[in-house]
């Protein structure tokens, strides 16, 4: 329970930092903490079930908080890496790499949450 509260505090702090600075480091921190949030909130701070996935698993209100943090961090990372007219032609690959890393972090967090329960 204490771990869940600590991770929730980190998630809200990282989201505020990300919104205030729109910095890449803040966005990476937010994506990582959002991925950690999924297994951390299992059976502690879940809230109401919004969507039943199976008899033992579902998407809860707390999962939506993690998804929102992940989406904010991912958006800031990808937009920061998008090419503009002053960058080289191949720099759009960095945006896709950033998006791929964010998706991987979300997949790991979701898999851990599913495995733990």
């Amino acid at each position: 329970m204490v771990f869940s509260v600590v991770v929730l505090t980190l998630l809200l702090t990282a989201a505020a930092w990300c919104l205030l600075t729109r910095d890449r480091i803040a966005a990476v921190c937010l994506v990582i903490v959002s991925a950690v949030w999924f297994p951390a909130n299992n059976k502690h701070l879940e809230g109401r079930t919004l969507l039943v996935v199976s008899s033992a698993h579902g998407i809860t209100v707390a999962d939506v908080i993690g998804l929102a943090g992940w989406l904010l961090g991912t958006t800031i990372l990808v937009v920061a890496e998008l090419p503009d007219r002053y960058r080289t032609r191949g720099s759009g690959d960095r945006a896709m790499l950033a998006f791929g890393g964010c998706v991987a972090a979300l997949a790991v967090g979701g898999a851990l949450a599913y495995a733990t329960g």
Side-chain angles (χ1 to χ4, degrees):
M1 176 76 172
V2 173
F3 180 68
S4 298
V5 173
V6 169
V7 174
L8 178 60
T9 304
L10 286 173
L11 180 66
L12 296 175
T13 303
W17 179 28
C18 206
L19 284 171
L20 291 174
T21 64
R22 289 182 175 75
D23 185 38
R24 286 185 183 118
I25 295 173
V28 168
C29 289
L30 182 58
V31 167
I32 291 170
V33 172
S34 294
V36 171
W37 172 246
F38 292 113
N41 78 23
N42 271 348
K43 298 185 175 123
H44 297 292
L45 302 173
E46 287 184 328
R48 219 176 87 211
T49 302
L50 302 175
L51 178 69
V52 176
V53 177
S54 70
S55 61
H57 300 287
I59 297 175
T60 64
V61 173
D63 294 334
V64 173
I65 294 170
L67 282 173
W70 178 82
L71 186 62
L72 174 65
T74 301
T75 302
I76 289 174
L77 276 175
V78 170
V79 167
E81 297 298 337
L82 283 176
D84 59 25
R85 60 183 164 186
Y86 301 111
R87 294 185 185 168
T88 61
R89 182 180 171 109
S91 61
D93 296 338
R94 290 177 25 192
M96 288 307 295
L97 183 63
F99 181 72
C102 292
V103 169
L106 181 68
V108 168
L112 286 173
Y114 190 84
T116 60

